[in-house]
């Protein structure tokens, strides 16, 4: 369906977009493919979100007979970045919500992302393996502009250097973040990656790719540059392959999709 512009799209149209994005529902759980541009929850400057639209979405599902009349509320149990697309799971009763919350807290949920990244093993970082692990703590830092943004503060673990005999809990501290990656394909100044998030820190996949590996997600205008938030600058060969000018590339959406 493409990018959902919340400042241009009415709430009614957004509900219809969500209705068309439902991939599974029963009396206990609802799964939907969140479009990029739509926040998971309300926050400063947001008009609406998956959470705030969930009551109207349930009403539409009841009208279509896809869920029973007894379902009263859909509750968010995890979040996906506003700019990313991907499957979100919502609990439809307290028992299911509590179970899902416990699963996410205990890290028993498999969190996987697919991304198109600028760069890759066949480009500037040939010394990196096609599969590996980024084990770099994340903290919130302040940019020279005064804006706050997550950033990396340590090192990369990769290939056979990754410890496999330690529990994830022992390896991960308060700021710890671990992302495993696999290169599925390479192209002109870009690659397709499958990412497994061992932890679930805020913006983890985007920061680890941009700052940990030096392969920012295509369309990531927030994290591609180390010291500024500004439109992403793409290599000329990639612009040619996409048939875009640099001016047009500043409007590219984030090419990051979550599977849970």
């Amino acid at each position: 369906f493409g990018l959902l512009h919340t400042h241009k799209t009415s709430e009614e149209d957004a509900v219809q977009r969500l209705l068309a994005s439902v991939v599974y529902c029963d009396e206990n759980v609802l799964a939907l493919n969140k479009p990029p541009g739509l926040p998971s929850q309300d926050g400063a400057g947001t008009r609406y979100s998956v959470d705030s639209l969930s009551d109207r979405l349930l009403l539409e599902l009841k009208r279509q007979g896809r869920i029973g009349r007894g379902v009263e509320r859909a509750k968010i149990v995890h979040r996906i970045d506003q700019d990313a697309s991907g499957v979100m799971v919502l609990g439809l009763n307290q028992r299911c919500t509590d179970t899902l919350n416990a699963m996410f807290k205990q890290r028993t949920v498999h969190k996987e992302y697919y991304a198109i990244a600028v760069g890759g093993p066949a480009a500037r970082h040939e010394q990196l393996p096609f599969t590996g692990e980024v084990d770099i703590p994340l903290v919130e830092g302040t940019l020279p502009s005064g804006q706050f943004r997550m950033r990396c503060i340590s090192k990369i673990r990769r290939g056979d250097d990754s410890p496999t005999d330690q529990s994830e809990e022992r390896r991960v501290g308060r700021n710890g973040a671990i992302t495993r990656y696999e290169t599925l394909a390479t192209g002109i100044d870009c690659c397709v990656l499958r990412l497994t998030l061992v932890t679930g820190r805020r913006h983890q996949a985007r920061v680890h790719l941009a700052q940990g590996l030096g392969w920012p997600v295509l369309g990531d205008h927030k994290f591609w540059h180390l010291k500024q938030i500004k439109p992403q600058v793409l290599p000329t060969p990639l612009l040619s392959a996409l048939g875009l000018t640099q001016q047009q590339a500043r409007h590219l959406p984030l090419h990051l999709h979550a599977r849970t």
Side-chain angles (χ1 to χ4, degrees):
F1 293 102
L3 185 66
L4 191 155
H5 296 278
T6 56
H7 62 289
K8 296 180 180 179
T9 306
S10 69
E11 289 192 25
E12 181 57 39
D13 287 343
V15 170
Q16 293 304 312
R17 284 280 299 274
L18 283 182
L19 187 63
S21 73
V22 172
V23 294
Y24 179 82
C25 63
D26 59 22
E27 301 305 301
N28 299 303
V29 67
L30 168 66
L32 55 86
N33 185 14
K34 187 192 80 66
L38 179 63
S40 298
Q41 292 181 301
D42 287 343
T46 61
R47 288 183 59 203
Y48 50 76
S49 65
V50 173
D51 192 29
S52 67
L53 296 177
S54 61
D55 287 344
R56 295 171 65 177
L57 176 61
L58 288 184
L59 182 60
E60 292 296 328
L61 290 171
K62 290 175 183 178
R63 286 174 177 170
Q64 294 182 2
R66 297 169 68 178
I67 59 173
R69 294 287 177 178
V71 176
E72 297 181 356
R73 185 83 167 87
K75 295 185 178 180
I76 298 285
V77 296
H78 70 113
R79 293 175 293 179
I80 294 175
D81 280 1
Q82 176 176 343
D83 297 329
S85 62
V87 177
M88 283 189 64
V89 180
L90 294 81
L92 298 185
N93 56 59
Q94 195 60 52
R95 179 181 61 83
C96 184
T97 299
D98 290 344
T99 298
L100 289 170
N101 278 326
M103 291 173 66
F104 276 96
K105 184 176 181 179
Q106 297 164 8
R107 301 188 181 128
T108 58
V109 177
H110 182 72
K111 292 175 283 187
E112 189 173 81
Y113 282 79
Y114 288 83
I116 298 178
V118 180
R124 295 186 299 110
H125 296 271
E126 296 181 8
Q127 75 274 18
L128 291 175
F130 277 73
T131 62
E133 182 179 278
V134 184
D135 183 355
I136 307 180
L138 301 178
V139 297
E140 188 173 62
T142 306
L143 296 174
S145 63
Q147 296 170 291
F148 294 99
R149 192 181 68 175
M150 299 300 289
R151 64 181 180 87
C152 293
I153 57 173
S154 188
K155 60 182 178 178
I156 299 175
R157 289 189 182 275
R158 53 182 181 170
D160 295 336
D161 295 331
S162 301
T164 57
D165 58 341
Q166 302 180 49
S167 70
E168 302 297 357
E169 286 296 328
R170 288 178 59 194
R171 292 175 56 194
V172 178
R174 187 181 71 170
N175 297 318
I178 300 172
T179 303
R180 295 182 182 133
Y181 65 92
E182 178 183 0
T183 305
L184 301 179
T186 59
I188 300 173
D189 284 322
C190 65
C191 64
V192 178
L193 299 171
R194 176 163 52 212
L195 310 169
T196 300
L197 273 59
V198 178
T199 55
R201 308 303 180 204
R202 187 157 59 100
H203 303 308
Q204 176 178 317
R206 297 166 67 178
V207 180
H208 271 175
L209 285 181
Q211 300 180 17
L213 291 174
W215 310 338
V217 178
L218 181 64
D220 194 345
H221 309 290
K222 184 172 184 176
F223 290 103
W224 78 277
H225 195 280
L226 189 60
K227 296 182 179 181
Q228 300 180 56
I229 296 177
K230 65 178 186 178
Q232 187 178 37
V233 176
L234 299 180
T236 300
L238 180 54
L239 286 172
S240 298
L242 294 172
L244 298 175
T245 65
Q246 189 60 65
Q247 183 67 24
Q248 292 170 323
R250 67 189 295 131
H251 302 296
L252 278 173
L254 185 73
H255 285 62
L256 182 67
H257 181 77
R259 296 182 62 185
T260 301

